[in-house]
Amino acid sequence: MKAIKKNKATGSTKYFRFRSWFAKGDRLQKELEEKEKIKRQLSTFVKYAPGAIAMFDKDMQYLMASDSWYQDYKLSEDEITGRSHYEIFPQILDMPHWLKYHQEALSGKSISVEKDEMTGSDGSTIYLKYRIEPWRDHNNEIGGIIMFTENITEQVNIQNQLQENQQYLKDIFDHSSLGICLVDESGKLFMVNDRMCEIVGYPREDLTKMNFTEFTHPEDIEIDLQLFNNLKNKEISQGSIDKRYISKSGKISHVKLHASVINDPNSSARHALVLVQDVTEEVKANEASKVANEKFETLNALMEKTWEIAQMGSWKLDITSQKVEWSKTIYQIHELEENIEIDLDKMKSFIHRKDLTLVNEALDQAYESGCDWDLDLRIITKTGRECWIRFIGHPIIKESQIIGIEGLIKNVDQIKKINLELTELNAMLEHTVDQRTAQLEAVNKELEAFAYSISHDLRAPLRAIEGFSSALKEDFDEELDRSAKHYLQRIQDNTVKMGDLIDDLLEFSRTSRSVANPQIFNLKEKLENLIEEMEIPPKYQIELINISEAYGDPRLLTQVFQNLLSNAVKYSAYEETPVIYIEQTSRDDGYEVSISDNGIGFDMRYSHQLFKIFQRLHSDDEYEGTGIGLALCQRIVQRHLGKIWAESSPGVGSKFTIFLPNNTDNNEVPSTKKMSHT
């Protein structure tokens, strides 16, 4: 009986173990099916996602990609299945920052880039916006990365085109013979061209901070405001008036003004486009005596309205009573009624709390040491508006005692806010310049590679032509008639000329991209070494006059002198006694070096062709050359912020002169980045 009970117990145990194993297997099967379902859902999501998405494993092998990915990069699923991302896009291997981003993402970092570029399979530049995220498996371990990309090439190209169009319009704006400006709805100028600055007599930085009434003749302000208000109130769309401007120096200009309304494309604001023609000389010729009388009256009126136009007023503090006197303008600045009495505490109550410490310190120093002050600070007007003012104070001293303080208050709110805006704009401009510099450096590298390729591709056929023509001449010399030999010789001569042309072109390109190293150097020593290296025939008489030190890049300037000296030797070769003078002359702003000869000279009517590449005034039969030497000289001199010119007469000789500026803080030879894209 005990044995039977034991067997029953054992059988029951096995049965429960079987049921447990079977239940566990069922759970695993369900988990597997659930994972497959999730995988199918993920694949469907990726495949039909609206953007270009691709999923990779740790080895950057493709796992799956969206239809948009295949469309954007002109791929198919069969092309990428089981292959590495770098096999599909091998150009990425030459893009270190992309490889870095991939590795950072595989390390768990999220990467987001707003704009980047890569070279497409057809050689074109593609601009992309992309994001790279790591993905994790069920053990929360990184299994690879997911890329989200957007092709923004079209947007970038449109932006570039807009910038080019804006530059074109800016050039028209800047070089117009009429004064042009834009005026906002408050009457403040925010865009002016150079001609407008000349007519009005204010520098651009002052003019763009001013209301048009500030430099309009007082007698013309009313008619000007009437036109402005009519435009502003949409009563008219355009109008013209005759008026006068008063420059910063007090000069009166008579102008014909035409104004029309334009809408700001970026907002609902409406601006006035103003065209100004200076007719001062015409008015002076017709009404000389009248202009003189009006000028006298204008000066008187200007004195009376200076305070009001300048938005500046005076104040005075009596230390004993603590009472403060304000002029009318100061009440207006504080937006306060004129009948309100002001004491020191009341005056300080308008000061912005963050600037109050500055005022208290200035007052203390004025009381204790008699110190003046000149502060820019903020006030809060009666209406609660924050306004920047210039606050000037000067102690009043009588019998060695400070009895009061007087000073000025000027409304500088517009100027201050414009300065803050300009600071932000300058920062944006510096960023743009850095971007442009990087782009130009990339272009220079591409040009260097292109020049090397062209040189190699052109020299190969030249060597073949030279080789075959030499072989013909050597192997069939006796069989060739005189005409054939002449043609072969011309072929060989022209291959040599073509080789020289390639060398000169490469030198021209290389010099344009080379980095300058400006310094003070011994010009006389450089010229003496150059003359010795050129092995000029002894019949030439070469004189160095007043040659001393020079400032610039010695290597580049030596190239200039070598080209000019070679020309002087070449074009005076037929003279019985050729003479060449090299002379240095000092100027206040720099120095000149001239090289003159007594050779054949040239007609100055054609001097404008001298410094153009491939332009020559003499044929190859008369004098050999490629037409690049003088163009190279001009390029080098211009990069030194200098000038080069020529003087000549046929049969008398030629004189080439270069001017180079001194080494000063404001006139310095550009170097490295500044010169690399000249």
Side-chain angles (χ1 to χ4, degrees):
M1 290 297 291
K2 291 182 180 180
I4 291 173
K5 290 181 181 179
K6 182 177 181 181
N7 288 336
K8 287 183 178 180
T10 301
S12 177
T13 301
K14 289 180 178 180
Y15 171 74
F16 285 113
R17 287 178 180 174
F18 176 76
R19 288 189 60 186
S20 175
W21 175 85
F22 184 83
K24 182 177 181 181
D26 186 55
R27 286 196 304 272
L28 291 174
Q29 180 63 29
K30 289 182 178 179
E31 289 177 2
L32 183 59
E33 290 175 354
E34 185 64 24
K35 289 179 179 179
E36 285 298 320
K37 179 180 178 182
I38 292 172
K39 183 178 180 181
R40 287 194 302 272
Q41 291 175 342
L42 177 60
S43 298
T44 301
F45 170 77
V46 170
K47 177 177 177 61
Y48 297 105
I53 304 175
M55 187 174 184
F56 306 86
D57 62 15
K58 286 185 177 181
D59 298 322
M60 293 302 294
Q61 300 282 339
Y62 276 91
L63 297 178
M64 62 183 70
S66 68
D67 289 348
S68 295
W69 184 278
Y70 297 130
Q71 293 172 4
D72 284 359
Y73 301 107
K74 298 179 176 59
L75 298 169
S76 67
E77 184 174 0
D78 294 336
E79 287 180 281
I80 69 172
T81 301
R83 298 180 64 188
S84 166
H85 187 47
Y86 306 133
E87 291 180 60
I88 305 301
F89 299 100
Q91 61 268 42
I92 294 178
L93 297 175
D94 296 324
M95 303 170 70
H97 66 290
W98 280 40
L99 299 176
K100 177 186 175 184
Y101 290 160
H102 294 165
Q103 293 305 312
E104 289 178 350
L106 287 169
S107 300
K109 184 177 179 181
S110 295
I111 306 296
S112 180
V113 177
E114 289 300 312
K115 188 179 85 170
D116 205 344
E117 64 179 77
M118 68 176 289
T119 302
S121 57
D122 58 353
S124 63
T125 299
I126 299 173
Y127 294 92
L128 297 175
K129 174 182 179 181
Y130 55 87
R131 184 175 182 85
I132 307 174
E133 296 284 352
W135 63 267
R136 300 177 180 274
D137 59 18
H138 62 283
N139 293 322
N140 200 30
E141 294 181 353
I142 295 176
I145 62 174
I146 300 177
M147 291 188 193
F148 307 82
T149 69
E150 179 183 355
N151 190 328
I152 58 171
T153 304
E154 182 177 355
Q155 296 95 306
V156 173
N157 291 337
I158 291 173
Q159 182 63 31
N160 293 338
Q161 185 62 49
L162 286 174
Q163 291 175 354
E164 292 176 6
N165 293 341
Q166 288 172 354
Q167 183 61 46
Y168 175 71
L169 293 176
K170 184 179 183 298
D171 290 342
I172 296 175
F173 180 85
D174 289 340
H175 299 97
S176 173
S177 60
L178 297 176
I180 306 176
C181 66
L182 290 176
V183 182
D184 66 17
E185 293 182 335
S186 69
K188 186 174 72 68
L189 285 70
F190 64 92
M191 184 179 293
V192 297
N193 68 351
D194 291 340
R195 181 59 180 149
M196 185 68 183
C197 295
E198 292 173 7
I199 294 173
V200 178
Y202 278 84
R204 190 188 305 273
E205 56 268 25
D206 289 350
L207 203 56
T208 52
K209 301 171 185 174
M210 301 172 69
N211 187 286
F212 68 86
T213 58
E214 296 181 60
F215 52 84
T216 296
H217 191 286
E219 296 179 3
D220 298 336
I221 289 179
E222 182 178 355
I223 188 173
D224 211 349
L225 284 173
Q226 182 179 355
L227 174 62
F228 179 78
N229 290 329
N230 288 341
L231 293 170
K232 182 178 179 181
N233 297 330
K234 301 182 181 181
E235 297 178 10
I236 58 174
S237 60
Q238 58 181 323
S240 301
I241 60 170
D242 293 334
K243 60 171 291 186
R244 289 161 291 176
Y245 286 135
I246 301 179
S247 71
K248 191 173 185 178
S249 63
K251 177 182 176 182
I252 298 177
S253 300
H254 293 258
V255 301
K256 290 185 179 295
L257 180 148
H258 180 82
S260 57
V261 176
I262 61 173
N263 295 317
D264 191 331
N266 299 317
S267 67
S268 59
R270 302 170 76 247
H271 306 311
L273 172 63
V274 180
L275 305 180
V276 177
Q277 180 184 3
D278 189 349
V279 294
T280 303
E281 295 302 321
E282 179 182 343
V283 172
K284 285 182 178 179
N286 296 332
E287 302 180 26
S289 61
K290 182 179 178 180
V291 169
N293 293 332
E294 289 178 352
K295 182 177 180 180
F296 177 76
E297 295 173 2
T298 299
L299 290 174
N300 288 335
L302 183 63
M303 291 297 296
E304 295 175 359
K305 293 190 175 182
T306 297
W307 292 97
E308 180 179 349
I309 294 174
Q311 280 287 290
M312 183 165 60
S314 61
W315 65 276
K316 184 175 181 180
L317 166 68
D318 183 281
I319 290 181
T320 303
S321 65
Q322 295 289 288
K323 297 294 184 180
V324 179
E325 296 178 8
W326 276 1
S327 67
K328 176 181 177 181
T329 307
I330 297 182
Y331 278 99
Q332 293 173 350
I333 293 173
H334 288 73
E335 299 178 339
L336 200 64
E337 297 81 0
E338 290 185 50
N339 58 353
I340 296 179
E341 292 187 358
I342 304 296
D343 58 20
L344 182 59
D345 290 337
K346 181 73 172 178
M347 181 177 180
K348 289 165 64 175
S349 69
F350 289 99
I351 305 297
H352 194 289
R353 59 183 180 82
K354 292 185 178 180
D355 297 332
L356 188 58
T357 302
L358 292 175
V359 175
N360 289 330
E361 291 176 352
L363 286 168
D364 291 342
Q365 292 179 6
Y367 293 152
E368 296 171 4
S369 307
C371 295
D372 299 343
W373 74 75
D374 188 344
L375 303 172
D376 282 354
L377 49 83
R378 293 159 292 181
I379 62 170
I380 305 299
T381 68
K382 180 183 177 181
T383 63
R385 183 176 61 88
E386 182 179 295
C387 177
W388 282 92
I389 64 169
R390 183 178 179 186
F391 188 31
I392 300 173
H394 173 71
I396 303 172
I397 301 176
K398 184 177 181 180
E399 297 179 356
S400 302
Q401 295 292 322
I402 298 175
I403 62 172
I405 301 175
E406 61 184 358
L408 300 172
I409 291 177
K410 178 176 175 57
N411 186 345
V412 295
D413 192 57
Q414 288 186 345
I415 296 174
K416 195 71 175 180
K417 289 177 180 177
I418 289 173
N419 284 336
L420 294 174
E421 291 177 2
L422 286 175
T423 300
E424 295 179 1
L425 289 174
N426 285 335
M428 294 173 59
L429 180 59
E430 289 178 3
H431 177 67
T432 302
V433 169
D434 290 340
Q435 288 182 324
R436 292 298 186 196
T437 300
Q439 292 172 359
L440 288 170
E441 288 176 347
V443 169
N444 277 336
K445 291 180 180 179
E446 293 176 2
L447 288 175
E448 185 174 357
F450 177 74
Y452 175 82
S453 174
I454 290 297
S455 171
H456 181 272
D457 292 345
L458 288 179
R459 288 187 190 280
L462 281 179
R463 287 193 293 269
I465 294 171
E466 170 64 21
F468 284 121
S469 60
S470 296
L472 281 172
K473 198 171 183 181
E474 292 174 4
D475 297 345
F476 302 96
D477 184 61
E478 296 179 358
E479 301 174 22
L480 297 173
D481 58 17
R482 181 180 299 177
S483 178
K485 291 180 180 179
H486 172 70
Y487 291 149
L488 281 175
Q489 186 60 46
R490 289 188 64 181
I491 290 173
Q492 290 181 320
D493 291 344
N494 277 281
T495 56
V496 173
K497 181 181 177 181
M498 186 63 180
D500 293 340
L501 181 60
I502 292 172
D503 290 337
D504 288 349
L505 278 173
L506 286 175
E507 181 62 27
F508 185 82
S509 176
R510 189 180 302 112
T511 302
S512 299
R513 299 189 309 272
S514 61
V515 176
N517 182 24
Q519 57 188 272
I520 297 175
F521 65 95
N522 190 328
L523 178 58
K524 183 176 182 181
E525 180 181 342
K526 287 287 184 184
L527 290 173
E528 289 174 344
N529 292 338
L530 179 61
I531 293 170
E532 182 179 351
E533 292 171 1
M534 291 176 64
E535 299 181 352
I536 300 173
K539 77 168 184 174
Y540 286 85
Q541 179 183 343
I542 301 177
E543 294 188 20
L544 304 182
I545 305 173
N546 297 328
I547 305 299
S548 59
E549 291 182 337
Y551 178 77
D553 186 297
R555 176 179 58 82
L556 295 177
L557 292 180
T558 299
Q559 180 70 54
V560 172
F561 295 127
Q562 180 178 352
N563 289 355
L564 296 178
L565 186 55
S566 296
N567 282 352
V569 171
K570 177 167 57 176
Y571 293 114
S572 60
Y574 297 121
E575 297 296 321
E576 184 177 348
T577 306
V579 181
I580 299 174
Y581 297 101
I582 306 176
E583 183 176 2
Q584 183 175 1
T585 305
S586 296
R587 286 175 30 176
D588 292 339
D589 54 347
Y591 62 94
E592 294 178 359
V593 179
S594 62
I595 298 180
S596 56
D597 62 69
N598 61 341
I600 62 170
F602 59 86
D603 192 333
M604 285 295 290
R605 289 181 300 172
Y606 307 107
S607 61
H608 63 282
Q609 299 180 9
L610 282 174
F611 301 103
K612 295 181 180 179
I613 193 167
F614 300 132
Q615 295 293 321
R616 304 192 65 219
L617 301 185
H618 304 282
S619 65
D620 290 342
D621 295 336
E622 295 177 298
Y623 298 96
E624 295 182 350
T626 60
I628 296 177
L630 288 179
L632 179 61
C633 290
Q634 185 184 53
R635 178 66 61 88
I636 294 174
V637 171
Q638 287 176 342
R639 292 179 62 188
H640 283 75
L641 305 182
K643 299 178 181 178
I644 182 170
W645 65 91
E647 305 166 77
S648 183
S649 295
V652 177
S654 301
K655 179 181 179 181
F656 283 81
T657 305
I658 66 172
F659 164 74
L660 297 172
N662 290 324
N663 175 25
T664 66
D665 292 337
N666 296 322
N667 189 13
E668 194 169 359
V669 177
S671 61
T672 316
K673 289 185 177 180
K674 293 182 181 178
M675 294 185 68
S676 62
H677 56 269
T678 301

